[in-house]
Amino acid sequence: MMMDGQTAIEAVQPAETARKRKGSYVAAIARGTCSLIRGLKVTFVEFFTRKTTERYPENRGTLTLFDRFRGTLAMPCDEAGNNRCTACGLCATTCPNGTLRIESETVADPETGKKKKRLLAYEYNLGSCMFCQLCVNVCPAQAIRFDTAFEHAVFTRDKLVKILNKQIQTHGNNA
């Protein structure tokens, strides 16, 4: 049916597009069915593969984690209890959450007379850390690293704030 100002070709086009839509409907159902079968194939293959499950609470003593696992920030020290931190503050500046807080003081070196920063407290808030490792990557002295400790469950948030240089020094003196 032609309307005013419409040519014969324009009048035929709606009928052709209706046929194309019907063909595309059937094709869409076929594509959807193929996609569903492909997804179910992956599901069934995975259903019959052997599972590797960690028996976590029972195997706590023998559980090993990868070296790249980011558990808790640690500040290693030597046998005398000295750490490598120079209190430059790059790690605290780089941290996107403000997880690290460094207290330092400037002291004069008695031998050279030059002023030097000395670390007083290295505070790490485990509760706000997102384990991005930016602080470890930016440290020029390689004074901090992530260890593989992962059990962080506590009842109060205050226990998630740790003074790393004090804990390491007491640990180093007891060893």
Side-chain angles (χ1 to χ4, degrees):
M1 168 189 245
M2 285 199 302
M3 297 185 179
D4 291 338
Q6 194 176 30
T7 63
I9 295 174
E10 292 171 346
V12 176
Q13 284 179 347
E16 288 179 16
T17 56
R19 273 187 258 135
K20 285 181 184 177
R21 271 191 251 133
K22 188 173 186 182
S24 66
Y25 175 74
V26 173
I29 289 177
R31 282 192 309 270
T33 304
C34 289
S35 175
L36 177 68
I37 290 171
R38 216 176 311 134
L40 286 175
K41 178 185 167 195
V42 170
T43 302
F44 283 123
V45 167
E46 192 61 34
F47 182 74
F48 291 109
T49 58
R50 188 172 183 271
K51 307 297 182 271
T52 56
T53 304
E54 293 288 338
R55 307 274 183 222
Y56 165 61
E58 293 84 20
N59 70 349
R60 191 177 287 166
T62 60
L63 184 66
T64 57
L65 297 171
F66 295 105
D67 291 335
R68 66 179 180 263
F69 178 76
R70 301 174 188 166
T72 306
L73 194 65
M75 185 177 284
C77 62
D78 58 5
E79 294 79 24
N82 300 323
N83 53 37
R84 300 164 92 184
C85 183
T86 58
C88 65
L90 283 175
C91 53
T93 306
T94 306
C95 182
N97 293 345
T99 301
L100 304 173
R101 194 174 63 81
I102 297 175
E103 289 182 28
S104 63
E105 67 180 359
T106 305
V107 294
D109 189 14
E111 297 172 3
T112 61
K114 293 182 179 180
K115 292 186 176 182
K116 182 179 175 183
K117 277 189 169 181
R118 188 177 67 145
L119 181 67
L120 296 177
Y122 193 95
E123 187 176 294
Y124 168 57
N125 188 348
L126 179 65
S128 66
C129 182
M130 62 183 193
F131 307 100
C132 62
Q133 202 172 4
L134 291 174
C135 56
V136 175
N137 293 339
V138 78
C139 183
Q142 303 297 317
I144 54 177
R145 63 174 176 80
F146 275 102
D147 63 6
T148 56
F150 63 92
E151 294 179 330
H152 304 303
V154 292
F155 289 108
T156 61
R157 291 184 183 179
D158 296 338
K159 292 183 181 178
L160 292 174
V161 177
K162 301 179 180 199
I163 309 293
L164 293 184
N165 61 328
K166 304 295 183 193
Q167 290 177 347
I168 296 299
Q169 285 179 357
T170 58
H171 174 69
N173 290 341
N174 290 340

